[in-house]
Amino acid sequence: MAAINSVADLALHGDVAVLTINSPPVNALSAVVRDGLKRGVEAANADANSKAIVLICAGRTFIAGADISEFGKPPTPPFLPEVLDTIENAAKPVVAAIHGTALGGGFEVALTAHYRIAAPSAKFGLPEVKLGLIPGAGGTQRLPRLIGVEKALDVILSGAPFDAASAKDWGVIDALAEEGKLLDGALAYARRLVDESAPLRKVRALEDKIRAARGKPEIFEAIRKANARKFRGFEAWLKAIEAVKNAVDLPFDEGVAAERRMFMDLLGTTQSKAQRYVFFAERQAAKIPDVPEDTATRPIRSVGVIGAGTMGGGIVMNFLNAGTPATIVETSREALDRGLSIIRKNYENTAKKGRLTQADVEQRMALLSGTLDLGALADKDLIIEAVFEDMAVKKEVFAKLDALAKPGAILASNTSYLNIDEIAATTKRPQDVLGAHFFSPANIMRLLEIVRGEKTAKDVIATAMKVAKKIGKVGVLVGVCRGFVGNRMLAQRQREANKLIIEGATPWDVDRVLYDFGLPMGPFAMSDLAGLDIGWSREKSSSSTIREILCERGRRGQKTGAGFYDYDEQRNARPSALVEEIIAEFAAKKGVNRRVVSDEEILERCLYPMINEGAKILEEGKALRASDIDVVWINGYGWPVYRGGPMFYADTIGLKRVLDKMKAFQAAMGDDFKPAALLERLAESGGAFTGG
Ligand code: 3H9
């Protein structure tokens, strides 16, 4: 075995040279890996004793892509395109042997090999769009040549991985090895190629799969149209489509050159910078300074959920999906039956769309039991309460849980703003209590705010973070304060939105500005969707807010066909002249002189107080780091990922500007806009929240 460099080894197995890359954790294409690949293939190519070359990786995976942490730094040779040329132009067959995840640049390396063999558990993909990029090393040119335009676009635009069975089916790989015996399989395959004098098959030279789409721009236009909503605001998706179109219409070298130019352009955009920042931010969120990664966790083999409403039902589905048995508790047979049947219906709907088999549905439902007896939770490892949002009710539930749960069980509340310490104090085991704030719909939204109480034990936190990962959520640790991180900041935006419509903006102006910023919907459309009567009661209603007036008049949101907007049968929204009148009357009564409010003011009034609140959250230590706040907003509220979250966004526009505006608003409108001390300090010293 000869070392090529610190991460690459070359060894001769009979007449097959094996080049092994070993650069933990994921064999990313850092400069040293590129160097190892290039010089390794050159050496194997020059060695007269070898007749074929197997390229394989050590550790948990084949190359998982370019080294994202190198992006934005001065590039170091050898550059990836040269490395790929070396592989593709080798004078003897190169076989890529793939296990784990061949992603991005890693998959592109494999596509330059002449043949590919993989472990049955291997996965493949081009996730670059998730980083605001397109594949930059020939992926957009080679993949369509291998599997056709339609499938290639699917892979490139979704960024989602596909499995080895599909890869074999589509012709991405030529052979499957036995699980755990990849090297043996690759050696045998390489020898067969040698024995058969197989040609050096270069994907770049294949034409038959792309010919049909040549000169047919309508194929690409149709994809753009069909995905207009999903692609809204993103730069990378349209470039990816353009690159694949080039693969069809241009000679290979021109297509590759254009792809590289677009890749380099995107690399320099704020969008890609934001999306790369989010990639690392989500991984950083799992790291808690005083809870080391090796903290022993408590086993979670069974879960209890109290409340079979929308939240409880959504929460329980996460566990069923992950294969953990769960029991759901309700207070009436009717509510329980309704909850259970909604869960089944949700699964059936997914099955109808082809994303689950009927057997999957039954398997999940078999893990679920429902009961009216709280005592059935006595042996559960984790109990999550999702009852009515009222402190007295929560306290009662926790006192009962304290009396019946087994020692060491974790007791979690799904409250969205109540004080966890107060809830924990009703038990004799506050160390086992924490908040687990899921976001609606709880089976879909990726965020889980894990609320650390004053006395929550470290192993309970470590367990909750692990559970979050197991059920496919991004867990973010937050401290006790009203609304925690997300809802506390949202309250700022809500207050300003409500003020703005009295001052002269319309609800549709506010919604449009925030929608155009990239959010999925504005606050008024959101209220109509959720129902304006959440927390409203006729008895207590005194026409003191626009919302109260709308509820009093029966305009309770989409479900009643009218709220801030009017709705037709298909629930399409139309601005309501009546609502404009109601607002104007209300403002007149309050003596407000209505004025024209600019879009710029709407945006700044809605977002800057949120950013300011984020700064206070950091000052008070209620979030560990600014990037955790961004992870909350991206995964819980649909903040556009290409803007990196509110704190990253603040950094991109400059903290000085945010501070100056907050001061100006404060002078004009009072202390709702009082700048946080941290914002002042950072803005004045030229600092940033994220360092991103
Ligand atoms: C690209 O390839 C562009 C090309 O087209 C063109 C080039 C010219 N770089 O996720 P994990 C780190 S774009 C640097 O927790 P898992 C990660 O930060 C790239 N670091 O593990 C973490 O570090 P730490 C296209 C990376 O098992 C550690 O590895 N490729 C990279 O849950 C473990 O990661 C991608 O977008 C990287 N590429 O999942 C793939 N990848 O321990 C991105 C990981 O210090 N990666 N790290 O926190 C992934 O999707 C997942 O990491 C993977 C493993 C599925 C591989």
Side-chain angles (χ1 to χ4, degrees):
M1 177 108 75
I4 299 293
N5 66 17
S6 61
V7 300
D9 276 305
L10 191 61
L12 209 54
H13 290 240
D15 55 2
V16 178
V18 175
L19 176 61
T20 308
I21 300 296
N22 185 8
S23 178
V26 296
N27 292 309
L29 288 161
S30 58
V32 64
V33 169
R34 295 194 299 272
D35 174 66
L37 276 173
K38 183 163 186 288
R39 289 200 292 116
V41 172
E42 280 166 356
N45 201 32
D47 182 355
N49 295 318
S50 83
K51 298 206 171 86
I53 305 167
V54 166
L55 167 59
I56 196 166
C57 292
R60 65 206 240 202
T61 179
F62 192 75
I63 300 164
D67 186 338
I68 305 169
S69 62
E70 272 188 3
F71 290 163
K73 297 181 187 155
T76 323
F79 303 122
L80 195 52
E82 301 166 42
V83 178
L84 301 191
D85 284 347
T86 308
I87 298 172
E88 197 164 52
N89 295 331
K92 45 190 100 170
V94 179
V95 178
I98 300 157
H99 75 295
T101 43
L103 299 177
F107 186 29
E108 291 174 299
V109 166
L111 289 176
T112 57
H114 305 118
Y115 296 92
R116 285 159 290 282
I117 181 169
S121 57
K123 291 213 158 54
F124 308 77
L126 292 171
E128 283 85 346
V129 285
K130 295 187 178 169
L131 301 170
L133 298 168
I134 64 170
T140 63
Q141 307 303 297
R142 287 193 179 86
L143 195 60
R145 284 176 160 80
L146 202 54
I147 64 174
V149 166
E150 197 185 332
K151 283 202 189 71
L153 275 171
D154 232 28
V155 169
I156 293 167
L157 297 178
S158 72
F162 55 94
D163 60 18
S166 308
K168 180 74 177 53
D169 221 32
W170 300 344
V172 169
I173 55 173
D174 306 286
L176 278 167
E178 217 179 298
E179 195 68 56
K181 294 192 174 159
L182 180 61
L183 179 59
D184 290 347
L187 286 170
Y189 188 72
R191 283 191 187 114
R192 215 179 83 202
L193 293 172
V194 172
D195 289 347
E196 293 171 0
S197 306
L200 301 179
R201 210 186 56 195
K202 297 184 184 179
V203 176
R204 59 173 285 155
L206 305 176
E207 283 283 316
D208 55 327
K209 292 269 172 67
I210 51 173
R211 210 167 281 129
R214 193 157 291 154
K216 293 205 179 119
E218 61 274 15
I219 297 179
F220 302 94
E221 196 42 46
I223 300 249
R224 261 182 228 121
K225 273 216 182 102
N227 291 287
R229 203 177 159 86
K230 177 173 165 195
F231 294 171
R232 177 173 70 99
F234 286 88
E235 293 168 36
W237 265 315
L238 298 185
K239 298 281 182 202
I241 295 175
E242 192 182 331
V244 175
K245 183 170 177 297
N246 287 343
V248 173
D249 291 335
L250 299 182
F252 181 83
D253 287 328
E254 278 178 44
V256 162
E259 177 203 72
R260 183 82 183 157
R261 269 197 310 277
M262 286 192 269
F263 172 82
M264 294 309 285
D265 286 349
L266 286 168
L267 203 53
T269 59
T270 304
Q271 288 207 349
S272 173
K273 201 171 154 198
Q275 289 179 252
R276 273 139 46 200
Y277 157 82
V278 172
F279 175 85
F280 287 112
E282 286 185 353
R283 281 153 182 82
Q284 187 74 13
K287 300 184 170 100
I288 302 163
D290 70 331
V291 182
E293 263 168 60
D294 57 359
T295 304
T297 54
R298 301 185 189 181
I300 303 295
R301 297 190 197 95
S302 60
V303 173
V305 174
I306 307 171
T310 316
M311 240 14 227
I315 292 171
V316 103
M317 287 175 76
N318 290 300
F319 290 96
L320 305 179
N321 296 345
T324 308
T327 300
I328 198 157
V329 185
E330 252 302 345
T331 47
S332 79
R333 168 60 54 191
E334 197 199 347
L336 181 63
D337 288 347
R338 192 173 48 234
L340 293 174
S341 75
I342 291 175
I343 294 172
R344 173 171 279 282
K345 209 169 104 208
N346 281 340
Y347 281 135
E348 304 273 357
N349 285 342
T350 313
K352 269 189 210 137
K353 289 180 198 146
R355 293 205 297 265
L356 279 184
T357 63
Q358 196 55 37
D360 293 334
V361 174
E362 298 310 328
Q363 200 181 11
R364 283 167 168 76
M365 288 308 290
L367 290 170
L368 177 63
S369 56
T371 174
L372 303 178
D373 173 20
L374 202 62
L377 303 187
D379 62 348
K380 302 294 176 254
D381 296 318
L382 166 66
I383 302 174
I384 304 172
E385 157 285 303
V387 301
F388 191 59
E389 196 74 320
D390 177 286
M391 184 53 103
V393 180
K394 304 260 185 207
K395 281 184 172 172
E396 200 187 313
V397 168
F398 272 78
K400 283 186 188 156
L401 287 180
D402 192 27
L404 66 85
K406 70 178 182 185
I410 295 179
L411 309 181
S413 170
N414 175 51
T415 178
S416 51
Y417 63 93
L418 295 173
N419 186 325
I420 294 295
D421 291 328
E422 218 181 308
I423 295 174
T426 61
T427 73
K428 285 187 252 1
R429 40 173 127 180
Q431 74 282 358
D432 296 340
V433 176
L434 85 175
H437 181 206
F438 287 83
F439 286 67
S440 190
N443 54 321
I444 298 193
M445 298 300 281
R446 278 183 80 217
L447 177 64
L448 179 61
E449 278 185 332
I450 295 171
V451 192
R452 177 182 202 159
E454 197 190 346
K455 298 200 172 127
T456 311
K458 291 184 182 182
D459 67 335
V460 169
I461 293 167
T463 306
M465 295 300 286
K466 192 169 159 192
V467 166
K469 187 158 185 181
K470 178 157 185 222
I471 62 174
K473 305 282 177 210
V474 191
V476 178
L477 191 70
V478 301
V480 174
C481 57
R482 192 176 171 80
F484 314 122
V485 168
N487 284 345
R488 177 170 163 180
M489 289 165 71
L490 183 69
Q492 295 287 320
R493 189 184 88 184
Q494 200 59 41
R495 184 197 61 225
E496 287 312 306
N498 289 335
K499 277 160 57 183
L500 282 161
I501 60 171
I502 308 296
E503 288 169 39
T506 62
W508 13 106
D509 285 335
V510 176
D511 282 354
R512 173 182 46 78
V513 167
L514 290 172
Y515 180 80
D516 287 349
F517 178 77
L519 284 153
M521 63 177 80
F524 298 104
M526 184 65 158
S527 300
D528 274 0
L529 179 66
L532 298 185
D533 55 354
I534 295 179
W536 174 83
S537 77
R538 185 175 286 284
E539 302 75 54
K540 291 189 195 143
S541 193
S542 59
S543 310
S544 69
T545 61
I546 300 293
R547 191 183 175 115
E548 282 193 348
I549 298 171
L550 294 180
C551 284
E552 288 160 15
R553 296 201 182 185
R555 302 184 65 102
R556 306 208 179 145
Q558 281 196 19
K559 60 186 174 188
T560 57
F564 281 97
Y565 295 81
D566 291 329
Y567 294 90
D568 64 16
E569 269 90 67
Q570 282 77 47
R571 296 204 166 190
N572 293 313
R574 265 189 333 273
S576 158
L578 178 65
V579 169
E580 286 196 48
E581 254 172 55
I582 291 174
I583 295 171
E585 258 173 49
F586 184 87
K589 258 195 217 144
K590 298 257 165 205
V592 176
N593 234 341
R594 282 163 63 82
R595 65 190 167 90
V596 174
V597 182
S598 70
D599 287 358
E600 188 187 3
E601 179 175 345
I602 291 174
L603 193 69
E604 292 175 340
R605 290 267 301 275
C606 286
L607 300 189
Y608 292 3
M610 269 177 53
I611 293 163
N612 195 52
E613 198 65 23
K616 287 187 195 161
I617 285 170
L618 285 175
E619 264 167 29
E620 295 166 21
K622 303 297 181 191
L624 282 170
R625 40 184 97 81
S627 61
D628 283 7
I629 297 178
D630 288 335
V631 172
V632 163
W633 271 84
I634 283 163
N635 293 292
Y637 299 84
W639 181 280
V641 61
Y642 58 79
R643 293 195 196 269
M647 308 315 275
F648 181 91
Y649 172 69
D651 288 343
T652 62
I653 52 180
L655 297 191
K656 180 83 173 68
R657 178 164 151 200
V658 178
L659 177 65
D660 288 348
K661 266 292 155 85
M662 286 297 285
K663 283 183 173 164
F665 289 147
Q666 186 188 21
M669 289 172 276
D671 277 352
D672 281 348
F673 300 94
K674 188 173 188 307
L678 179 65
L679 174 63
E680 296 217 44
R681 204 169 65 240
L682 287 174
E684 272 149 23
S685 63
F689 288 126
T690 65

